[in-house]
Amino acid sequence: MNPAGLRLVESHAHIQTQAFEEDGDEVLAAAIEAGVERILVPGFDIPTTHQGLEFARRHGLKTTVGIHPHIAATVDDAMWAEVCELATLDDVAGIGETGLDYDRGFSPREDQLRNLERHIALAYETGESLTLHCRSKPGQRDAQDDLIRLLREGGAGSPEWRERFGDRPPGVLHSFSGPVDYAEAALELGLFIAFGGLVFRRGEEASAEVARITPLDRLLTETDSPYLKPRKVKGSRNQPLNVAVTANWVRDLRGDDPAAFGQALVDNFDRFVGADS
C-alpha cells in the first residue's frame, strides 16, 4: 500500500457522514495505523458540519463549514447566517466544501455562482482557506473558467489577500480535475492543488501533467472518502488509508525524494489548516 514508506496526509475525507456511521472510529484508527499523520473531515452542508464538529472534537481533528454547489439553490438567509456563525469556531479550519458543478447541475448555475461568491467573501473575512469543488461536463471547462474568474473578482491573489492569509493558501482545488492552464491560473492565485482517486479515471489524463508541475510546497493528497476509490483498491467504499495509493502515484510521477515529499505533504497540510495560527 505504501512501498516508499511516505509520510501521508488526508486533506479531504468525509468520515463523519452516514457512510461511516457504523465504523468511523475504526476507519480513522486504520488510517492512523497505516501512517496517515494528518486528516481533515470537511463539511459540505450544515448537518455534515455539525457531524464534523462532533467527530473532530472526539478525535482532535478539524472540520470545515460550507455549502456544496449541489444544494446551492436551497440556501436561505438563515442557513447562510449559520454558516457564518460556524465559521468562527476554533474547530473549523476552512470554508467549504463549496464551488461549482456544471457536470451534474443539481442547482442552477446562477445559484451556484452566488453561493461561491458568498464563500469567497467569507474566506477573506475569516482568513480561512477555501475547499473548492469544480466539475465541468466531459470535454468542457466552463466551471473551471468561472471558478478562476470569481476568485479573481473576489480578490484572490491580490496583495490584500496575501497579507490576510500570510503563509496559508486562499484555497485548495479539491480532487483536481481540469486542464493544465486552469491549474496554472490557480497556482498564480496562490492556491494549493490536491490530488485524489479521480486522477485514475479515463479522461483525467491532464492531472498527471498538473501533478508534475505543481510546486512541492503547494501540493496535497486526499481520498474524498467515501467517494472516488482509486483503481485496483478492493471494496465498494473509499477510506482514508487509501490516500497512500495516490500519494505514491504522485511521487513516482514527480521523482521526488520520498523523505522530502512526505515532509512537504505534512508541512503543506499544516499551512492549509492554519495549524500554527
Side-chain angles (χ1 to χ4, degrees), residues 84-164:
C84 294
E85 182 179 354
L86 289 166
T88 66
L89 299 179
D90 290 342
D91 302 289
V92 171
I95 306 301
E97 176 182 358
T98 190
L100 301 172
D101 196 312
Y102 296 172
D103 183 12
R104 285 161 286 187
F106 293 148
S107 284
R109 291 193 183 191
E110 57 268 28
D111 291 318
Q112 294 191 43
L113 292 166
R114 173 58 179 152
N115 184 57
L116 178 55
E117 287 175 336
R118 282 178 156 183
H119 283 79
I120 293 170
L122 181 59
Y124 179 76
E125 179 184 339
T126 60
E128 299 283 5
S129 299
L130 288 154
T131 291
L132 297 164
H133 169 110
C134 193
R135 301 288 183 272
S136 297
K137 288 187 179 300
Q140 299 183 22
R141 56 175 297 160
D142 44 355
Q144 284 86 355
D145 289 341
D146 280 350
L147 180 76
I148 295 296
R149 175 177 60 82
L150 289 186
L151 285 168
R152 286 175 174 154
E153 290 176 356
S158 68
E160 293 80 10
W161 273 64
R162 295 183 189 278
E163 182 178 359
R164 180 74 165 168

Side-chain angles (χ1 to χ4, degrees), residues 171-189:
V172 60
L173 297 183
H174 140 65
S175 192
F176 179 81
S177 175
V180 174
D181 64 329
Y182 160 61
E184 291 173 336
L187 290 169
E188 288 176 3
L189 296 178

Side-chain angles (χ1 to χ4, degrees), residues 3-273:
L6 298 179
R7 300 183 71 185
L8 300 171
V9 305
E10 162 65 289
S11 64
H12 198 108
H14 302 295
I15 323 173
Q16 80 275 35
T17 58
Q18 187 175 3
F20 298 101
E21 186 176 11
E22 299 297 326
D23 63 348
D25 293 348
E26 290 79 6
V27 166
L28 176 63
I32 294 171
E33 178 67 23
V36 183
E37 299 183 28
R38 304 283 196 277
I39 298 176
L40 182 68
V41 287
F44 49 82
D45 57 18
I46 298 297
T48 56
T49 296
H50 283 293
Q51 293 163 358
L53 281 167
E54 191 278 329
F55 190 88
R57 287 167 176 168
R58 195 164 74 244
H59 295 289
L61 305 176
K62 296 285 187 178
T63 189
T64 67
V65 58
I67 304 297
H68 196 282
H70 286 343
I71 60 169
T74 71
V75 182
D76 58 19
D77 290 344
M79 184 185 298
W80 184 248
E82 186 167 2
V83 168
C84 294
E85 182 179 354
L86 289 166
T88 66
L89 299 179
D90 290 342
D91 302 289
V92 171
I95 306 301
E97 176 182 358
T98 190
L100 301 172
D101 196 312
Y102 296 172
D103 183 12
R104 285 161 286 187
F106 293 148
S107 284
R109 291 193 183 191
E110 57 268 28
D111 291 318
Q112 294 191 43
L113 292 166
R114 173 58 179 152
N115 184 57
L116 178 55
E117 287 175 336
R118 282 178 156 183
H119 283 79
I120 293 170
L122 181 59
Y124 179 76
E125 179 184 339
T126 60
E128 299 283 5
S129 299
L130 288 154
T131 291
L132 297 164
H133 169 110
C134 193
R135 301 288 183 272
S136 297
K137 288 187 179 300
Q140 299 183 22
R141 56 175 297 160
D142 44 355
Q144 284 86 355
D145 289 341
D146 280 350
L147 180 76
I148 295 296
R149 175 177 60 82
L150 289 186
L151 285 168
R152 286 175 174 154
E153 290 176 356
S158 68
E160 293 80 10
W161 273 64
R162 295 183 189 278
E163 182 178 359
R164 180 74 165 168
F165 283 83
D167 195 41
R168 294 186 72 180
V172 60
L173 297 183
H174 140 65
S175 192
F176 179 81
S177 175
V180 174
D181 64 329
Y182 160 61
E184 291 173 336
L187 290 169
E188 288 176 3
L189 296 178
L191 271 69
F192 282 11
I193 297 179
F195 299 92
L198 196 63
V199 300
F200 300 111
R201 293 189 178 182
R202 183 176 300 173
E204 298 291 341
E205 290 78 13
S207 296
E209 180 57 26
V210 174
R212 292 187 186 98
I213 68 168
T214 299
L216 185 55
D217 64 352
R218 308 279 287 284
L219 187 152
L220 285 167
T221 52
E222 61 164 275
T223 63
D224 198 18
S225 297
Y227 314 109
L228 304 182
K229 184 168 62 72
R231 61 187 178 189
K232 298 181 180 179
V233 170
K234 295 181 180 179
S236 59
R237 180 187 66 172
N238 202 3
Q239 58 179 308
L241 62 80
N242 293 329
V243 75
V245 177
T246 304
N248 278 281
W249 177 82
V250 173
R251 194 212 66 82
D252 287 346
L253 275 174
R254 296 170 56 89
D256 290 325
D257 171 75
F261 182 82
Q263 183 64 56
L265 289 180
V266 173
D267 292 344
N268 294 347
F269 183 99
D270 288 347
R271 289 166 57 204
F272 171 49
V273 302

